[in-house]
Amino acid sequence: METVPAAGRDRLSHLPDCLLHIVLSSLRSRQAVQTCLLSRRWRHLWRLVPCLDVDQRDFLLSVDRDREPDFPGRGASDVYKKARKERLDTEMKRRRSFEDFADSVLPLNGTWPLDAYRLHVSERDLREASSRWIRRGLARRPVELSVAYGYVTHHEYPWHYSFDFISAGGGALHLTSRLRKLHLSGLTLSRKFAEELRSECPVLEDLKLVDCEHDHPIASLTLKRLHIEGRYHSDSYSYSYSYRSFGSLDPIAVPALVSLNLHMVCLPDSEDEFQSVAVASITYPCYDASNRFLKSLRKASVLELRSFTTTVRQSSRTSCN
């Protein structure tokens, strides 16, 4: 007769390491590391998790950003200076904690392959350290790579960090041989990146570029899903748009492309047909001369168009908003 476990018994800890690593992979790295406090069984499990998600936002509390003191009135300058100094000291401590944490989860001698590596940095001053973290992450030959340079507050304007695989990986291009999914945000992509994408990423299937500066052609024989978007900026005082161009997009250069998603980008003036594209979505094109490009998507079974200022003939398979 099977014994029923006592109430409150820790059955999760009795699972094999491979299953616990899957559980930890669903957490951000800071949360995964914190599980080492649960018991001796969990002390070192996080070190071999196949998915790393290093995110500076875990070290930035919204309450800290709201503690910026108001401009002082007459006779209150000392109070203002003290409050501002306390806030800056707190921010510096959190930044140092994040740097120490990122170096700990990405050790210099780490060699085991990763299923996914995600890095999100929120401060300009960490560019040099970010290069180190990207290099160490690539050294683990991830299947999925995501690098994002975000913003502490929604109303800050973009800042860009130059990226290509040669500089990021320390010249070791073989590190991209397993890469299937690549998501980049807030980066400036050089011509080297465009060349490496075609020649050094032999199994890449998913490419997502958000608010990236890139004016060179995108070419990949294996790419199936392409998502490019600019940036919408708004606050209580102003509204502005930041459109992105992506150079030329030739059907011959992406012959396996199945899904295309373009948001606030400058569409190429071309009618070359994308016969392999089955699903396409285009939102907020930056100018009205886009009908020629829309003709290139005539084979798509699903075509979603949003926020166009020109009239587009609607068919049974086209959605227009």
Side-chain angles (χ1 to χ4, degrees):
M1 182 175 180
E2 184 178 356
T3 303
V4 178
R9 183 180 176 184
D10 182 12
R11 290 180 292 177
L12 185 62
S13 295
H14 288 78
L15 294 175
D17 286 2
C18 59
L19 292 182
L20 292 180
H21 286 153
I22 294 176
V23 172
L24 292 179
S25 292
S26 65
L27 304 176
R28 284 184 177 174
S29 292
R30 191 186 191 195
Q31 295 173 318
V33 172
Q34 289 172 337
T35 61
C36 71
L37 300 176
L38 295 176
S39 68
R40 184 176 299 178
R41 170 78 172 88
W42 291 78
R43 184 171 299 173
H44 300 292
L45 282 173
W46 66 269
R47 297 182 183 276
L48 295 177
V49 173
C51 298
L52 294 181
D53 191 339
V54 181
D55 197 321
Q56 190 179 5
R57 291 173 296 184
D58 292 337
F59 293 79
L60 297 172
L61 299 180
S62 59
V63 66
D64 290 335
R65 298 196 297 270
D66 294 337
R67 286 172 57 189
E68 175 71 38
D70 295 331
F71 188 79
R74 184 174 300 176
S77 59
D78 291 341
V79 176
Y80 173 81
K81 291 179 181 178
K82 181 179 179 180
R84 181 173 177 79
K85 183 179 185 302
E86 290 177 353
R87 184 184 64 82
L88 293 176
D89 289 344
T90 300
E91 289 183 354
M92 182 60 68
K93 289 179 181 178
R94 291 191 177 277
R95 181 187 303 166
R96 289 172 179 169
S97 296
F98 173 65
E99 289 187 71
D100 292 341
F101 173 80
D103 285 333
S104 297
V105 297
L106 287 165
L108 185 61
N109 58 349
T111 57
W112 61 94
L114 290 175
D115 293 339
Y117 173 53
R118 307 180 190 98
L119 174 66
H120 190 289
V121 179
S122 301
E123 294 187 55
R124 298 184 179 96
D125 295 338
L126 292 176
R127 291 190 181 188
E128 183 176 347
S130 299
S131 297
R132 179 172 71 250
W133 299 328
I134 295 173
R135 185 168 60 251
R136 292 183 182 181
L138 275 175
R140 307 276 286 278
R141 294 178 291 116
V143 175
E144 174 187 342
L145 174 65
S146 175
V147 179
Y149 283 78
Y151 318 101
V152 176
T153 57
H154 73 279
H155 59 269
E156 289 187 22
Y157 287 95
W159 53 277
H160 291 85
Y161 175 86
S162 182
F163 178 88
D164 62 73
F165 287 115
I166 292 179
S167 59
L173 288 176
H174 69 280
L175 301 178
T176 60
S177 61
R178 301 174 68 238
L179 191 63
R180 292 186 178 274
K181 181 183 292 187
L182 177 62
H183 292 183
L184 302 176
S185 178
L187 295 165
T188 296
L189 309 178
S190 67
R191 178 176 293 277
K192 292 179 182 179
F193 171 82
E195 296 172 354
E196 295 161 2
L197 194 68
R198 179 182 64 254
S199 60
E200 304 297 340
C201 299
V203 295
L204 184 67
E205 297 181 352
D206 189 312
L207 176 62
K208 183 176 182 179
L209 305 176
V210 177
D211 191 38
C212 289
E213 298 285 355
H214 52 106
D215 297 322
H216 307 293
I218 291 176
S220 170
L221 297 178
T222 58
L223 192 64
K224 295 181 179 179
R225 293 172 293 278
L226 176 61
H227 179 120
I228 305 177
E229 66 179 82
R231 183 172 185 265
Y232 173 69
H233 162 76
S234 69
D235 55 31
S236 58
Y237 301 102
S238 65
Y239 297 88
S240 62
Y241 299 86
S242 177
Y243 291 100
R244 301 299 174 205
S245 64
F246 55 94
S248 60
L249 186 64
D250 192 328
I252 299 177
V254 284
L257 194 66
V258 175
S259 175
L260 178 63
N261 191 321
L262 304 177
H263 178 83
M264 294 181 67
V265 299
C266 296
L267 303 180
D269 190 17
S270 171
E271 291 187 26
D272 295 335
E273 193 166 301
F274 289 86
Q275 297 191 19
S276 61
V277 173
V279 179
S281 176
I282 302 176
T283 308
Y284 280 112
C286 69
Y287 59 88
D288 294 338
S290 55
N291 287 338
R292 288 174 59 85
F293 181 70
L294 292 179
K295 291 179 182 179
S296 70
L297 300 172
R298 61 175 66 92
K299 296 289 186 179
S301 57
V302 177
L303 179 58
E304 184 179 54
L305 308 177
R306 292 184 178 181
S307 302
F308 273 66
T309 58
T310 54
T311 301
V312 180
R313 181 175 296 176
Q314 184 175 359
S315 67
S316 60
R317 60 185 176 86
T318 304
S319 173
C320 297
N321 292 307

